[in-house]
Amino acid sequence: MPVARPLTLKQRHGQFLGSIAVAFAVVLLWQIVSGLLFVVPAPARTVAVLASNLTDPDYLVDARETALAVATAFVIGTLLGGLVGLVLGLVKPVRLATEPLIVALNGVPKIVLYPILLPIFQLGGSKIVMGVLFCLFPVLINVAAGVRHIPDVYWKLARSVQASWLQTLVHIILPAIRRPLLTGLRLAVSLAVVGVVLSEFFATRYGLGRVVLQTYGHGDYPEMVATILLLIVVSFTISMLLWRWEKKVQ
Amino acid sequence: MSEINLENVEVAFDTPAGTVVAVSGVTQRVPAQGFVSLVGPSGCGKSTLLSVIAGLTKATGGQVQVGGKVVNGPDRGIGVVFQEDSTLPWRTVLDNVRFALQVAGVDKEGQLERARWAIELVGLKGFADAYPSMLSGGMRQRVALARTLALEPGVVLMDEPFAALDQQTRIFLGAEVRSIWQRSAQTVLFVTHDISEAILLSEQVWVMSYRPGQIIDVIDVDLPAERDPSIVSSHAFNELHNRIWTSLQEESMRGFRQQEGAA
C-alpha cells in the first residue's frame, strides 16, 4: 500500500496559504456575482441571515430533523455498507456473483426510487432510506476493495498465531483497511446529506430541504442561500476533519 | 523436547493445468534443539513443506509430527517467520511484538514484559515506540522474529526471512539468529536458497529437488559451533559448499528449463 509522504513544513505552509487564497477567491467571486444577480444575496448578508436563523426555534426544529435523518442514514448506511463490503471482500464466489450487479445498482439514479419509498416508509422514514441508499455504496466498495488488498502474509500471520475470527477482524482486518474505510466514511457523510436533503426537496414535513424549497417558492433568496450555506459548511467541515484524520493514520 | 518428524509427506495442488506435486515422499527428522536448513531451487516446494509443518497447508499424504503430536493445523508452539514483511504498520514495534501474546490471551503485564524481553533479544532496544515505516527492512524482520520468539515456541520455522535484505544485513542477522538459537532450547528449520547462509547457520542441510520436491541429499555441517563469517574461506566450508552446489546445480537447471518451457 503506498504511503503518502508527510509534507514538509514549507509545503504545509504552502497548503495553508493556498486554502486561504481559494476561500478568499470564492467569497470575492460570490460578492461580485451578488452584485450582478439580484437572486444571489451578498456574503455578509447571507451570514447575518444564517446567524439569526440559528436562534429561531422553528428553524432549529427543521435543522434538527435533517441532522437526525442524516446521522441515522449515515450510521445505518455505513454499517450495512461495511458489512456487505466485508462479505464481498472475503468471499470470492459471492463477489464474483454479485459485483457487476452492485456496480450497476450504484449507477442507478437512486432518487427516482423516492416515490416508491414514500408509501412504504412514510415521510419521516423515506428520506432516511434515501440517505442510506446514497451513502451505502462508497463504504461498500471501499471496504470490499480494502479487504481484497490485505496482504496475504497478514492472513498467514493471523492463522499461525491461531487468532479467532473476531481477533482477526479487530486486530488485522479493520486496521488494515483503515485508509479505504475512512475514505468511504468521508464520502458517505456528504452523500448522506445529499440523499436526505434531496428527498426533503420533494416531500417532507420538516427539514432544511423543505426550508430551501419553501424560501425559493416565496422568493426569499437570502433565506434560501443561508440554508444552502449551512448545509455546505457543515458537510464540508465534517469531510475536512475526516480527511485530515485519513492523512494522519499510520 | 520438540523434534520434527516428517513421514512420507506429500503435497499436491490442483491447478487449471493439472495436478502439480510440490512435495513428494519426504521422510526426515529435525532433532530436538537442532538447526536444519532446507535449500533448493526456487519453486521447488521448500516453502510448501515449511507451511505444512506450520499447519498452514494440509499435506495430501503422509504425516507431520512436532514434539510427538500430529500437526493438524496452526499451533502457537510452532512459530513462523515469513519471507514477506509481516509487521503491522499501524502498530508500534512493542505492539507488533506483543501481538501474538495478545491473541494468545496473555495478560497485559505479561505481554509487555515478554515483548520487551524479545525486543532486547533481537537487538531492537530503544525502538519499542517506533512504527515499522521508520525502520529498515532488516529491522522489520527483527520485529517479526521478536514477535515469534515472544511466544517462546518450541519450534521456529523460518521461510527465507532474509531473502529481501542486502548481503551484509543478511550475514549479520543470520549470525544473530544462530546465536539466539544457541542460547535457547528451540528447534529451528530454516528455508533458504543461499547455500552459504545454510552452511553458516545450521547443523544439517537438506537439499530439495525441483518438482516434485524430494530431499535428495542430507549433509551434516561439521564446523565449529562458534562460526565467524571468515569461516567461508576455510577448506571445510568450501567442501560443503561444493557438495551442496553439485546437488543443486542439476536441479536448478532442470527447474529453469521446465519453467522456461512452460512460459
Side-chain angles (χ1 to χ4, degrees):
Chain A
M1 211 177 293
V3 177
R5 200 184 294 268
L7 296 181
T8 64
L9 195 64
K10 204 173 159 191
Q11 282 170 321
R12 276 217 304 274
H13 278 153
Q15 202 172 50
F16 181 67
L17 289 176
S19 308
I20 298 224
V22 170
F24 184 75
V26 167
V27 174
L28 189 70
L29 188 72
W30 181 2
Q31 181 72 47
I32 294 168
V33 171
S34 72
L36 300 173
L37 298 169
F38 86 101
V39 293
V40 180
R45 170 103 196 276
T46 309
V47 173
V49 172
L50 178 57
S52 86
N53 276 348
L54 291 177
T55 56
D56 176 357
D58 286 344
Y59 190 84
L60 290 180
V61 168
D62 286 308
R64 199 174 298 129
E65 166 81 18
T66 300
L68 205 64
V70 169
T72 313
F74 174 76
V75 171
I76 298 174
T78 49
L79 283 178
L80 204 63
L83 211 65
V84 178
L86 208 57
V87 172
L88 245 56
L90 290 172
V91 191
K92 199 176 173 191
V94 176
R95 180 170 79 244
L96 292 178
T98 60
E99 200 162 44
L101 186 75
I102 287 173
V103 171
L105 274 181
N106 185 30
V108 168
K110 297 159 200 75
I111 195 67
V112 300
L113 295 174
Y114 195 55
I116 305 172
L117 297 179
L118 272 176
I120 307 173
F121 297 102
Q122 313 299 328
L123 281 179
S126 298
K127 58 183 172 186
I128 294 175
V129 176
M130 191 50 65
V132 169
L133 287 180
F134 266 82
C135 71
L136 177 81
F137 289 97
V139 179
L140 188 159
I141 291 166
N142 274 288
V143 167
V147 170
R148 211 161 57 227
H149 289 123
I150 293 177
D152 248 3
V153 70
Y154 291 178
W155 300 114
K156 283 198 283 184
L157 170 66
R159 286 181 58 210
S160 76
V161 298
Q162 293 180 281
S164 68
W165 206 90
L166 189 66
Q167 285 173 327
T168 308
L169 180 71
V170 173
H171 295 306
I172 302 283
I173 300 177
L174 289 180
I177 63 166
R178 66 210 178 282
R179 276 173 220 270
L181 179 63
L182 275 173
T183 307
L185 292 183
R186 179 163 56 83
L187 297 170
V189 172
S190 322
L191 287 171
V193 174
V194 172
V196 168
V197 174
L198 206 55
S199 304
E200 288 177 347
F201 281 169
F202 290 99
T204 194
R205 206 165 290 130
Y206 304 104
L208 292 178
R210 185 201 57 90
V211 171
V212 171
L213 201 69
Q214 208 167 48
T215 48
Y216 169 76
H218 295 162
D220 190 353
Y221 297 122
E223 280 281 353
M224 182 185 84
V225 177
T227 302
I228 292 172
L229 181 68
L230 176 67
L231 289 168
I232 290 175
V233 166
V234 170
S235 19
F236 178 77
T237 308
I238 297 173
S239 290
M240 274 305 283
L241 291 175
L242 283 169
W243 184 71
R244 291 191 56 170
W245 187 20
E246 209 178 310
K247 292 277 142 204
K248 262 205 327 233
V249 294
Q250 272 289 333
Chain B
M1 290 294 105
S2 296
E3 63 169 28
I4 305 171
N5 269 301
L6 308 174
E7 266 176 56
N8 208 16
V9 175
E10 183 182 285
V11 186
F13 295 112
D14 283 322
T15 71
T19 304
V20 171
V21 181
V23 176
S24 171
V26 173
T27 300
Q28 289 296 333
R29 175 174 161 270
V30 183
Q33 300 183 45
F35 196 131
V36 170
S37 284
L38 177 57
V39 297
S42 53
C44 75
K46 313 185 283 284
S47 294
T48 307
L49 183 59
L50 192 97
S51 181
V52 169
I53 301 169
L56 294 170
T57 300
K58 282 250 177 292
T60 45
Q63 198 184 56
V64 176
Q65 284 186 9
V66 170
K69 276 194 312 188
V70 176
V71 173
N72 277 321
D75 187 314
R76 290 193 198 105
I78 305 172
V80 192
V81 182
F82 301 101
Q83 175 177 357
E84 309 96 311
D85 179 9
S86 62
T87 55
L88 307 171
W90 56 89
R91 283 175 171 243
T92 61
V93 168
L94 183 67
D95 287 344
N96 260 290
V97 174
R98 72 187 179 93
F99 170 72
L101 298 162
Q102 197 180 3
V103 168
V106 175
D107 62 89
K108 180 93 186 256
E109 214 170 294
Q111 289 174 22
L112 294 175
E113 191 188 317
R114 279 163 73 181
R116 291 215 172 87
W117 164 79
I119 286 171
E120 200 171 332
L121 192 64
V122 302
L124 281 178
K125 210 181 170 190
F127 292 94
D129 296 322
Y131 282 94
S133 60
M134 307 168 182
L135 305 178
S136 66
M139 286 164 95
R140 287 207 280 261
Q141 277 312 64
R142 283 171 195 257
V143 175
L145 180 62
R147 179 176 58 209
T148 302
L149 295 176
L151 274 175
E152 298 177 79
V155 167
V156 179
L157 307 172
M158 301 201 211
D159 187 6
E160 304 200 41
F162 310 139
L165 308 178
D166 62 80
Q167 187 71 17
Q168 287 89 330
T169 311
R170 240 179 127 120
I171 291 173
F172 195 59
L173 275 182
E176 277 192 54
V177 163
R178 186 171 162 85
S179 131
I180 291 170
W181 164 74
Q182 281 176 318
R183 285 176 278 144
S184 79
Q186 277 153 344
T187 309
V188 178
L189 182 63
F190 190 98
V191 167
T192 178
H193 58 252
D194 185 323
I195 301 172
S196 300
E197 189 173 59
I199 301 170
L200 268 174
L201 294 187
S202 39
E203 306 295 288
Q204 192 174 70
V205 178
W206 299 350
V207 180
M208 201 172 199
S209 68
Y210 188 72
R211 275 179 215 154
Q214 290 170 317
I215 305 295
I216 48 170
D217 205 358
V218 173
I219 301 118
D220 286 314
V221 179
D222 295 318
L223 292 174
E226 299 307 322
R227 292 174 198 172
D228 194 77
S230 65
I231 208 165
V232 295
S233 51
S234 71
H235 179 70
F237 183 93
N238 277 316
E239 291 260 287
L240 287 164
H241 197 284
N242 281 339
R243 174 160 167 204
I244 297 171
W245 176 233
T246 314
S247 309
L248 256 179
Q249 203 175 18
E250 251 171 76
E251 288 305 316
S252 298
M253 281 312 287
R254 194 162 69 83
F256 183 70
R257 277 195 212 100
Q258 278 191 23
Q259 283 176 343
E260 289 280 290

Coordinates of all heavy atoms in Angstrom, one line a residue, chain B residues 26 28 32 40 42 60-61 74 81 90 93 101 103 110-111 126-127 133 146 149 159 173 210 219 223 234 238 249:
Chain B
V26 N 8.6 -37.0 1.4 CA 9.7 -36.5 2.3 C 9.6 -37.2 3.7 O 8.6 -37.1 4.4 CB 9.6 -35.0 2.5 CG1 10.6 -34.5 3.5 CG2 9.8 -34.3 1.1
Q28 N 11.9 -37.2 6.9 CA 13.1 -36.7 7.5 C 12.8 -36.3 9.0 O 11.7 -36.4 9.4 CB 13.6 -35.4 6.8 CG 14.2 -35.5 5.4 CD 15.4 -36.3 5.4 OE1 16.2 -36.3 6.4 NE2 15.7 -37.0 4.3
A32 N 15.4 -32.6 18.3 CA 15.1 -31.5 19.2 C 16.3 -30.7 19.4 O 17.4 -31.2 19.5 CB 14.6 -32.1 20.5
G40 N 17.1 -25.3 -1.9 CA 16.6 -25.9 -3.1 C 16.3 -24.8 -4.1 O 16.3 -23.7 -3.8
S42 N 14.4 -22.3 -6.7 CA 13.2 -21.6 -6.5 C 12.0 -22.4 -7.1 O 12.2 -23.0 -8.2 CB 13.3 -20.2 -7.0 OG 13.7 -20.2 -8.3
T60 N -1.3 -33.7 1.5 CA -2.2 -34.6 0.8 C -1.8 -36.1 1.1 O -2.6 -37.0 0.7 CB -2.3 -34.3 -0.7 OG1 -1.0 -34.2 -1.2 CG2 -3.1 -33.1 -1.0
G61 N -0.7 -36.2 1.7 CA -0.3 -37.6 2.1 C 0.8 -37.5 3.1 O 1.4 -36.5 3.3
P74 N -2.6 -24.9 12.6 CA -1.6 -24.0 13.3 C -1.6 -24.2 14.8 O -2.5 -24.7 15.4 CB -2.1 -22.6 13.0 CG -3.0 -22.8 11.8 CD -3.6 -24.1 11.9
V81 N 8.4 -17.4 10.9 CA 8.8 -16.1 10.5 C 8.7 -16.1 9.0 O 9.3 -17.0 8.3 CB 10.3 -15.8 10.9 CG1 10.7 -14.4 10.5 CG2 10.4 -16.0 12.4
W90 N 0.3 -0.3 11.5 CA -0.4 0.6 12.4 C 0.0 0.4 13.8 O -0.6 1.0 14.7 CB -1.9 0.4 12.2 CG -2.4 -1.0 12.4 CD1 -2.7 -1.6 13.5 CD2 -2.5 -2.1 11.4 NE1 -3.0 -3.0 13.3 CE2 -2.9 -3.2 12.0 CE3 -2.2 -2.1 10.0 CZ2 -3.1 -4.4 11.3 CZ3 -2.4 -3.3 9.3 CH2 -2.9 -4.4 10.0
V93 N 6.6 -1.0 17.3 CA 7.4 -2.2 17.5 C 6.9 -3.0 18.7 O 6.6 -4.2 18.6 CB 8.9 -1.8 17.6 CG1 9.7 -3.0 18.1 CG2 9.4 -1.3 16.3
L101 N 1.1 -12.5 21.7 CA 0.8 -12.8 23.1 C -0.6 -12.3 23.4 O -1.4 -12.9 24.2 CB 1.8 -12.0 24.0 CG 3.2 -12.4 23.8 CD1 4.2 -11.3 24.3 CD2 3.5 -13.7 24.5
V103 N -3.2 -12.1 21.2 CA -4.1 -13.1 20.7 C -4.2 -14.3 21.6 O -5.2 -14.9 21.7 CB -3.6 -13.4 19.2 CG1 -4.4 -14.6 18.7 CG2 -3.9 -12.3 18.3
G110 N 2.1 -9.3 31.4 CA 2.9 -10.4 30.8 C 3.3 -10.1 29.4 O 4.4 -10.4 29.0
Q111 N 2.3 -9.5 28.6 CA 2.6 -9.2 27.2 C 3.7 -8.2 27.1 O 4.7 -8.4 26.4 CB 1.3 -8.5 26.6 CG 0.1 -9.3 26.3 CD -1.0 -8.5 25.9 OE1 -0.9 -7.4 25.3 NE2 -2.2 -9.0 26.0
G126 N 15.3 0.3 22.4 CA 15.3 1.7 22.0 C 14.4 2.0 20.9 O 14.2 3.2 20.6
F127 N 13.9 1.0 20.2 CA 13.0 1.2 19.1 C 11.5 0.8 19.4 O 10.7 0.7 18.5 CB 13.5 0.4 17.9 CG 14.7 1.0 17.3 CD1 16.0 0.5 17.7 CD2 14.7 2.1 16.4 CE1 17.1 1.0 17.2 CE2 15.9 2.6 15.9 CZ 17.1 2.0 16.3
S133 N 7.2 1.8 9.6 CA 7.6 2.7 8.5 C 8.9 3.4 8.7 O 9.5 3.9 7.8 CB 6.4 3.6 8.2 OG 6.2 4.5 9.3
A146 N 11.1 -11.2 16.7 CA 10.8 -11.0 18.1 C 9.4 -11.4 18.4 O 9.1 -12.0 19.4 CB 11.1 -9.5 18.4
L149 N 9.5 -15.1 18.7 CA 10.2 -15.6 19.8 C 9.5 -15.2 21.1 O 9.6 -16.0 22.1 CB 11.6 -15.0 19.9 CG 12.5 -15.4 18.7 CD1 13.9 -14.7 18.8 CD2 12.7 -16.9 18.8
D159 N 11.0 -19.0 6.9 CA 10.8 -19.1 5.4 C 11.5 -18.0 4.7 O 11.0 -16.9 4.5 CB 9.3 -19.0 5.1 CG 9.0 -19.4 3.6 OD1 9.9 -19.7 2.9 OD2 7.8 -19.2 3.2
L173 N 22.4 -10.7 10.4 CA 21.1 -11.2 11.0 C 21.2 -12.7 11.2 O 20.8 -13.3 12.2 CB 19.9 -10.8 10.2 CG 19.3 -9.5 10.5 CD1 18.1 -9.2 9.6 CD2 18.9 -9.3 12.0
Y210 N 13.9 -30.1 -7.6 CA 12.8 -29.4 -8.3 C 11.7 -30.3 -8.4 O 11.8 -31.5 -8.2 CB 13.3 -28.9 -9.7 CG 12.2 -28.0 -10.3 CD1 12.1 -26.7 -9.8 CD2 11.4 -28.4 -11.3 CE1 11.1 -25.9 -10.3 CE2 10.5 -27.6 -11.9 CZ 10.3 -26.4 -11.4 OH 9.3 -25.6 -11.9
I219 N 23.2 -33.3 4.4 CA 24.6 -33.0 4.7 C 24.8 -32.5 6.1 O 24.2 -31.5 6.5 CB 25.2 -32.0 3.7 CG1 25.1 -32.5 2.3 CG2 26.7 -31.7 4.0 CD1 24.2 -31.6 1.4
L223 N 31.2 -28.1 11.3 CA 32.0 -26.9 11.5 C 31.9 -26.6 13.0 O 31.0 -27.0 13.7 CB 31.5 -25.7 10.7 CG 31.6 -25.9 9.2 CD1 30.9 -24.7 8.5 CD2 33.1 -25.9 8.8
S234 N 37.4 -21.1 4.7 CA 38.1 -22.3 5.1 C 37.9 -23.5 4.1 O 36.9 -23.5 3.4 CB 37.6 -22.7 6.5 OG 36.2 -23.2 6.4
N238 N 34.3 -24.8 2.1 CA 34.3 -24.9 0.6 C 33.9 -26.3 0.2 O 33.2 -26.5 -0.8 CB 35.6 -24.5 0.0 CG 35.7 -23.0 -0.1 OD1 34.8 -22.4 -0.6 ND2 36.8 -22.4 0.3
Q249 N 22.9 -27.8 -8.5 CA 23.0 -27.3 -9.9 C 22.1 -28.0 -10.9 O 21.4 -27.3 -11.6 CB 24.5 -27.5 -10.3 CG 25.0 -26.6 -11.4 CD 26.5 -26.8 -11.6 OE1 27.0 -27.8 -11.2 NE2 27.1 -25.8 -12.3

